[in-house]
Amino acid sequence: GTLDDVKARGELICGVNVGLTGFGAPDATGAYVGFDVDLCKAVAAAVLGDAAKVKYVPTTGETRFTALASGEVDVLIRNSTWTFSRDTDLKFDFVAVNYYDGQGFMVKKDLGVSSAKELDGATVCIQTGTTTELNLADFFKSNNITYTPVNVADDSEALRQYDAGACDAYTTDASGLAASRASLASPADHIILPEIISKEPLGPVVRHGDNNWGDIVRWTYYALLTAEEKGVTKANIDQVASSTTDPEIKRLLGLEGDMGAMMGLDKDWSRRAIAVSGNYGEIFEAHIGTSTPIGLARGLNALWTQGGLQYAPPIR
Amino acid sequence: MSLLYIRKDMLGPSAPPASQTGAIRWLRENLFSGPVNSILTLLAIYVLYALISLSWPWLANGVWTASSLQECRSIVAASAGPDAGGACWAMIHERWHQFIFGFYPPDLWWRPILAFGLLFVALAPVLYADNKSAMSKLCGLIGVLAVLCLIGADGFSFHTVLAIALFAGLTAFAATKPRALLTVTILFPFIALWLLWGGSIWGPITALLGFMVMAMIYSLIAPKLGPVMGASLGFIAACLWWLFLQSYVSEAWQALLPLELTYVTSDKFGGFLLAFVIGVASISISLPLGILLALGRRSDMMLIKTLSVGFIEFVRGVPLITMLFTASLLLQYFLPPQTKFDLILRVVILVTIFSAAYNAEVVRGGLAALPRGQYEAADALGLDYWQAQRLIIMPQALKISIPGIVSTFIGLFKDTTLVSFVGLADPLRGITTIVRADINWKGIYWEPYIFVGGIFFIVCFGMSRYSMYLENKLKTDHR
Amino acid sequence: MTLATEPPKANFRLGMLIYDTRYRSYTIQIIVLILFLLGVAWLANNTIENLAAKDKDINFGFLWNRAGYDIDQHLVPYTNDSTHFQALLVGLCNTLLVAVIGCFLSTILGVTIGVLRLSKNWLLSRMMTVYIELFRNVPVVLWIILVYAVLSETRPEPKDFKIVDGTSKASMILNDSFAITNRGTNVPSPLLEHPLPRIELGGYSLNLSVLACIFVVAASIWINRILRRRAAATQEATGIRPTTWWKSLLILFVPIIALLFAMGLHWDYPAFKGFNFKGGLNVAHAFTALTVALTLYYASVIAETVRAGIQAISKGQSEAAAALGLRPGRTMNLVILPQALRVIIPPLISQYLSLTKDTSLGLAVSYLDLRGTLGGITLNQTGRELECMTLMMLIYLIISLIISSVMNAYNASVKLKER
Amino acid sequence: MAEPAIDRSKMQISDEVAIQITGMNKWYGTFHVLRDINMTVNKGERIVICGPSGSGKSTLIRCINRLEEHQQGQIIVDGTELTSDLKNIDKVRSEVGMVFQHFNLFPHLTILENLTLAPIWVRKVPKKEAEEVAMHYLGKVKIPEQAHKYPGQLSGGQQQRVAIARSLCMKPRIMLFDEPTSALDPEMIKEVLDTMISLAEEGMTMLCVTHEMGFAQAVANRVIFMDQGQIVEQNEPREFFNNPQSERTKLFLSQILGH
Amino acid sequence: MAEPAIDRSKMQISDEVAIQITGMNKWYGTFHVLRDINMTVNKGERIVICGPSGSGKSTLIRCINRLEEHQQGQIIVDGTELTSDLKNIDKVRSEVGMVFQHFNLFPHLTILENLTLAPIWVRKVPKKEAEEVAMHYLGKVKIPEQAHKYPGQLSGGQQQRVAIARSLCMKPRIMLFDEPTSALDPEMIKEVLDTMISLAEEGMTMLCVTHEMGFAQAVANRVIFMDQGQIVEQNEPREFFNNPQSERTKLFLSQILGH
Ligand SMILES: Nc1ncnc2c1ncn2[C@@H]1O[C@H](COP(=O)(O)OP(=O)(O)OP(=O)(O)O)[C@@H](O)[C@H]1O
Ligand SMILES: Nc1ncnc2c1ncn2[C@@H]1O[C@H](COP(=O)(O)OP(=O)(O)OP(=O)(O)O)[C@@H](O)[C@H]1O
Ligand SMILES: [Mg+2]
Ligand SMILES: [Mg+2]
């Protein structure tokens, strides 16, 4: 299966975005950084023991699924929405949801609009090759209002168009909207409308049929989530490991039982994954959280214990 | 009437009347020779003025050092007033290396620089044939430039010394034995491969051995069974070598004598480095292919002609973008299950196929320009088809075709920007997207395009001038 | 014809397959054929295996499923409820639209620039040279992006057209009928008060008004040709050519204007309402940018072709004409152009071919042409790469073949007769 | 070449002046190509101009129908002075026919169309009439059967004869020839010279740049020798060839007749 | 041309047959270009072929080294029949040298390389030896000093002599010439003819298409006249010129000697 391939290769090939602020893009030195990228690193650490052994393959909206289907990448962690047809017809498995997103609208304040339903006749910038265009069509249709789509190739182009006023509203996933808003000259002049017109569960994707590999990616992600739940962080992981008495943490950190072996990994897999860039919350804060220029609130992505949707099944 | 007239003293030349010279006349003749012309001149001056006044303030307010777009904006606002626009060249200042080298590790930049320099040395024999002085001048110049680039890239180091020695040696060769440079031309693909990707030196060497196997088999078989059989059996043998033996041999030698450069994976390639790798690789592989296709298209054999024509017309009939999408979307369907290879390699293959069709047409033009007599003379001397092609026809046809090939290359080089559509980091859109994904530079728009466009212009303009120069030269010296 | 081939000699040897010119070519061709078929079989086999491994099939049925996405510019009726096939048609029309308009405009611009480049005006010819070099030597994608950016960056927003207290920040041009905003160009659209009825033909409806217009224009052109032929005949008989230009103008324009007037043509002017201009026709900038950039780029290429074509006609030709007393204008019409066109048109048609192919670069500004619909969103939504790509290549190929067969026909018809 | 039997009966020179050039100078940029040219050509004269390459022969005769502009002095053709007045230029050009070294036929037109083009568009002659005239002159140059072929299909000699016929169709009073035979194969030279001779026999005023000395001796009534943009010597042919006066002429003749 | 003093001592004709053509016919498409050609050439013969343009002279001699394929009849060159067997063709071509009207030297190679190319690649002679042979023949055609120039730098006459030397380097037993002098300026014709004469004096079997009648009279031992693809008349030169038998020959000779 894929696990053997990855091990044999000594490298995880991770499909990422060509460039999406906060989620995945190369920095000035060419190293990939971002929210999605850290999950790639965690998987690599879990499987290979070295977070650096990842090869990032930038994929466009058009090439991403083909890249995965053809085995060019082992896993696609590239803000892709989990939909029925992608799961079934395209023969993929979405193993988890690492970011609950939804499609929203951003408009300029001086447009005087406070709800998406007032957008009748508006021009809307929209990226092609994504689910957003389908959602948009559905939303306007169901509200019996009209719009003019302006198709743009990527986020930065959309932003430029929007900024120049080429469209009244920019629609994309709310996370993207927040990032874009942050980079505008005066973010305060723009508002993100309250309507979230779609469910956009974004998550890592693997090929259908290789269940073990799917499990590895899924549980690596859940390990990060559980770590947050249990307060295990990058900084305190070693200390917790030595002092904890909580059986669940013990299982999580491989101190008890041999969960790794059931997936073909060793005992320390999850500990390594967490050690790379910390737990889910830490990763979130580091790349897209409120302390970053992007400034996303946890919202739906808060832990279930804090009113969010992020809920990791028990590790046992 | 007597017809006789003799001029006793010959007149010397005298200066033309005043109305024939001077700046006023030049102006009158070139700019204001009539009402229509005068209007056109004024119109042109107005257009020039409008263009300059539109773009000058923006260029003049440019900021060269800043760490983010916001900073640029505030610097411009501080110096030129809140509404003034200004270019933010600081981004180029910070990210230029990604536009040039992509993600190639900075401490290894000397390798692409050296490879690029050697490219010109390899081209010298093709461009200048036997012109010793031109060749040595070119080699020397390239050497100096390469060394300067190296010093710029990582200071004065071991590589600089290496480069100085290498280029000095090559220049000396060019000056004394220009033919010897042909060896560099032949070896260049392997050298470049090794320099760019690194890894064990035995890889390229054993790959080269494959060609030697081919040559050996050819020379053994060709006299007995004819050149076609020789070539095909040689090719098969070489393929067998490459597929089954090469890796063992190269590993064995590597174990015996480890000689290697740090391995750099393809995904580190980007920017103009990527554009040149794709461009040069495709054009050099597609040229032989193109020659074969051109010969096929001119062949008397129906089937071969039909296949060649079909192939050429098919490839020329579809846009390059669809070929690139084929490379990234469809190739996996056509290859045996489980074969995987690098996207860059796939793109190079498809682009090669694409330019082969164009080169075929260029070469066909060159072949058609040769007088029939050349073929007949070769026949009458008893040369066989392949000998005639190799010794008589191709050297001449290719020489005629060089301008066309250069044009194809220019087109191809410009088209490498399209690889961004399949997710590669080309300088125009790929790197620009990446740079803009950085929160510091998000929102920057014109500067990268102007920068990249400028480099494209310089390279392409240079090449097109060169091909024009060649065309003129060929016009005069080909009979 | 008597290509009397001798019967093969009785003592046929195997060596003859290689050494006898007659058999050798067959031998080679058969080997090539076998290799070719093997290659094809190998590819086909791989494809089948791969499809099986991915649990896929080749099936074009998806073309009749609901597309579900919107396309802002559609020349044929389309909504997001239409099928993927309909989307394909929309894309094809969009491709052809840019191609046709691009070819037309770039020819006009290119010819102008090519001629101006040969002008005696130093400044002008230099400027044209700069233009040509600038455009030729930079990737066309860059021009597409830049034109797009210029349009959306430098033009005012629609709301600047809103009239507040009797004034507005931006104003429409050409007597308040055109508005170029940063999101599109609003142009008046023609409306008919008494249009002719439509004829329904099994799903498609035929617009009689358009048909009538086409018919009238065609008839005018035909009559004009008769007029010109008459003039030529008069010239043959008397030596003097009657002036025809004003008659031509009348014949060409009066009937169509009359028809449109009769059908009650009026313009639906765009006007600012709500967020945007309402009424009229909104031409998206993706279209404008692609068309303009391709036009500018190919104009530079065509200009070179034109210049080369005119310069290819030796100076001797114009001198000979001058020596015969022909004026420069006549010389151009009767001697230079007919010859230059033969040189110019073949490369010109290949430029058209490249332009048509380059419309696929609309990708850079997300213009929804054939590649954007069939090869873009449809492919992405359905995951049917093999089918979509094959279909798309096939369509492009057909377009190309049509264009190049036109070229070959032209070449054959104008070939100079020689010994 | 043996001296052909030539009918000199019609070759009479009238006293009327056909071309009058006085003090003419011409420069290409700063290069002084024609220097102080003075020359009078009477109606019916047959003048051969010779001289080394680059001496300005072509330029001189091209000035006469204003294919080149002169900068000083006067050129009067058939009573019309050549200035930049377009009307005068048109008038002169319709009086003066010119035959070029490289024929310069229009390759996209048939022979007949080549011949009728100028009469129809310049002289406004009805097509039918123009064609009759054209056939007449084609007959004169002995290739009426080629009327519907294209120039590319004819041999060089035939093409040059068509070029002569084309000029004649405009019924010029003066004919200029610029090395009409130098681009031809030896076998074809004769047919072109024959045509020119027959033209001379009919009394046409002719200025001919040529190195065919046989032709000069047989037909010309005056030979002009040019060097360095100047007329160095002129004389009637027999004298010119047998008894050249200036050193340059002697040198030139020795070279040209030597081989 | 004055009859040159020619040494006929070696010009002996042996009884061996060099070329034997029987009942040969050739068509281009449906155009019957060679009709029933029968001809025997013995070793040492020097045959001149003449005839009007388009009569098939070039085609005939091009058939002899299979630059053109014949469709009926037999051609036997030096005992080898020309069929589509490549080996036979190669054999014949290495026995038969050919000189073209337009020289067809290889412009990208120096003179020496032009001469050594075929010996090295076809005859597999070592380079050094090939160069010696080449210099020998270059000396023979009297331009050894040009060995390192390129063809473009030589005059037409010199080029044609190089072309002859190039053929000779393959040591052919038979030489074919297709109008070797007709693309040359008159001054250069003589030097090429001289070379050919010296070749004849050494006893080379030669077939030569030419209209140089002086050469024919001086060197040929037989003149063949062709018209419309057929051999119309053949005879020894003196008889042929002074006493042609057929009407066509007479007509042709009157044209060609007339001017
Ligand atoms: N358009 C031009 N511009 C500049 N110099 C020119 C031009 N045309 C001709 N010349 C120069 O003028 C001189 C006279 O040229 P012209 O053609 O009249 O000589 P020619 O006597 O006819 O020579 P030839 O026998 O070679 O035809 C030559 O030196 C030539 O180089
Ligand atoms: N490749 C060809 N295809 C068709 N017809 C041809 C071809 N080559 C020659 N011909 C025709 O065959 C006839 C004989 O040609 P060939 O060249 O042998 O004549 P020739 O006697 O050598 O004439 P010339 O003196 O003009 O060289 C001519 O009518 C010519 O038009
Ligand atoms: Mg001249
Ligand atoms: Mg011939």
Side-chain angles (χ1 to χ4, degrees), chain B residues 5 7, chain D residues 21-24 35-40 231 234:
Chain B
Y5 166 90
R7 184 178 282 282
Chain D
I21 302 180
T22 29
M24 195 258 273
R35 308 178 190 172
D36 189 32
I37 304 286
N38 290 291
M39 167 174 164
T40 311
I231 297 181
Q234 69 170 325

Side-chain angles (χ1 to χ4, degrees), chain E residues 1 12 24 37 47 50-51 54 65 84 121 128 163 165 169 219 255:
Chain E
M1 191 195 298
Q12 284 175 5
M24 196 256 274
I37 304 287
I47 297 180
C50 62
N65 71 346
S84 32
W121 291 94
K128 213 163 151 156
C169 281
V219 176
Q255 280 172 342

Side-chain angles (χ1 to χ4, degrees), chain B residues 372, chain E residues 28-29 31 33-34 51-60 62 68 101 178-179 209 211 226:
Chain B
R372 249 193 89 72
Chain E
Y28 279 126
F31 174 57
V33 53
L34 290 180
S53 182
S55 55
K57 312 177 292 293
S58 300
T59 312
L60 172 60
R62 288 158 61 86
E68 304 284 350
Q101 180 179 7
D178 190 3
E179 310 204 22
V209 176
H211 291 142
M226 288 185 71

